[in-house]
């Protein structure tokens, strides 16, 4: 069993920054993928970014490319999402997820999820 716990959400002005953290406990896989998704009210959950824990290869949604950076710290069993130049359309609940095998942009492919952390970008 795997447990994921997110933190770091909050209210930020447009153009500001936030850093989300996700700590994983329980079973781990040799080449697992950690990912961030988000879900805004009335919208489907969407892929934000993912990273392979073993070699740091990462992927991003076009909407966040150049503004968000995903990273991981295997010693701490943690993954981070540095979000810069935030926009009101980034407002959503952000979820951490993990799976074994290959990265995917489809939420249905991920086996384990955190409870989510709210990010609100507003003036």
């Amino acid at each position: 069993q795997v447990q994921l716990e997110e933190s770091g959400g909050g209210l930020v002005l447009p153009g500001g920054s936030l850093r989300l953290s996700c700590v994983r406990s329980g079973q781990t896989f040799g080449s697992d993928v950690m990912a961030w998704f988000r879900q805004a009210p009335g919208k489907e959950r969407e892929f934000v970014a993912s990273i392979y824990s073993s070699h740091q290869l990462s992927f991003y949604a076009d909407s966040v490319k150049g503004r968000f950076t995903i990273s991981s710290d295997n010693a701490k069993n943690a993954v981070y999402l540095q979000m810069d130049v935030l926009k009101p359309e980034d407002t959503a609940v952000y979820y951490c997820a993990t799976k074994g095998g290959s990265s995917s942009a489809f939420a249905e492919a991920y086996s384990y999820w955190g409870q989510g952390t709210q990010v609100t970008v507003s003036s």
Side-chain angles (χ1 to χ4, degrees), residues 34-36 49-51 56-60 68-72 79-82:
M34 299 293 295
W36 288 96
S50 65
I51 188 168
Q56 303 293 299
L57 179 63
S58 58
F59 303 91
Y60 296 91
F68 290 12
T69 303
I70 189 171
S71 61
S72 67
V79 63
Y80 308 99
L81 186 68
Q82 176 66 40

Side-chain angles (χ1 to χ4, degrees), residues 8-14 16-18 86 91 117-123:
L11 174 64
V12 64
L13 294 171
S17 298
L18 277 177
L86 281 160
T91 296
T117 184
Q118 176 70 47
V119 172
T120 302
V121 184
S122 175
S123 56

Side-chain angles (χ1 to χ4, degrees), residues 43-58:
K43 294 188 177 181
E44 294 186 355
R45 194 167 295 190
E46 66 172 355
F47 173 78
V48 175
S50 65
I51 188 168
Y52 283 92
S53 299
S54 59
H55 50 69
Q56 303 293 299
L57 179 63
S58 58

Side-chain angles (χ1 to χ4, degrees), residues 5-25:
E5 184 172 359
E6 305 96 334
S7 62
L11 174 64
V12 64
L13 294 171
S17 298
L18 277 177
R19 186 187 191 220
L20 305 184
S21 300
C22 172
V23 177
R24 177 178 60 191
S25 59

